[in-house]
Amino acid sequence: MTPEEASVFTEKLCRTAPVIPVLVVEDAATAGDLAAALVAGGLPVLEVTLRTPAALDVIREMAKVEGGIVGAGTVLTRADAVAAKEAGAQFAVAPGATDKLLEACEEIGLPILPGAATSSEAMKLLERGYRVQKFFPAEANGGAPALKAIGAPLPQILFCPTGGVSPTNAMDYLSLSNTACVGGSWVAPKDKVQAGDWAGIEALAADAAKLG
């Protein structure tokens, strides 16, 4: 898979819904119900971060949910990319980008949304062929004003800002011409997941789906 082909896929992904839920799931037993609630609420693209021992099992379970498009986040190495794809991930998301990671995803045919925090990082990715990128950590790097400023000289790059994005500032990003969607964890709060409050999570997803 070429970077250009990956960008076609990730652009379509990012334009599917205004918010991509960023999910840190501790128990794979909750994965199916969680994914079903988010999909039912209008957020079909799901990013499962590889931050818990259960993450790969969570991806396997969520991949079974009809209508869901499940990917792996916090993909840092070739091994992460391979394991994620074998578990059923349709895409990868990284907080940054290294040549080794990009090469691995290209070789195994796993579309990646690579992270950039500066104009130089964004330009390097664009030079390689990645015109759809993750802006991370968004709020810590100046928020929507910074992303707007980066977009002025680099209008050909489309971003998914993640990190500190919330219901109160999501529209600041989504109103920018270089933002296709945002990534956020607020649609699946830990207390609601632990309580099995799937109706509550579906309601949060429905509200998020109306943004933008």
Side-chain angles (χ1 to χ4, degrees), residues 38-109:
L38 292 167
V39 172
L43 302 181
V45 182
L46 312 173
E47 177 190 336
V48 178
T49 62
L50 301 183
R51 300 183 196 174
T52 71
L56 293 175
D57 287 332
V58 170
I59 290 172
R60 291 187 185 96
E61 292 303 313
M62 288 191 171
K64 300 174 185 176
V65 175
E66 186 176 355
I69 306 168
V70 185
T74 324
V75 175
L76 307 178
T77 65
R78 173 183 289 270
D80 288 341
V82 171
K85 185 172 184 183
E86 290 178 347
Q90 296 185 51
F91 64 95
V93 183
T98 66
D99 289 336
K100 287 185 177 180
L101 177 59
L102 297 175
E103 288 166 4
C105 288
E106 290 160 13
E107 288 173 9
I108 67 174

Side-chain angles (χ1 to χ4, degrees), residues 12 20 31 82 108 117 128 151 159 164 176:
K12 183 178 180 181
I20 295 179
V82 171
I108 67 174
R128 190 178 179 114
F159 289 96
L176 300 177

Side-chain angles (χ1 to χ4, degrees), residues 9 13 28 72 78-79 83 85 91 98 100 106 113 116 132 156 164 168-169 184 204 207:
F9 182 92
L13 199 74
R78 173 183 289 270
K85 185 172 184 183
F91 64 95
T98 66
K100 287 185 177 180
E106 290 160 13
L113 187 65
V132 184
Q156 63 271 64
T168 58
N169 63 19
L204 288 174
D207 288 340

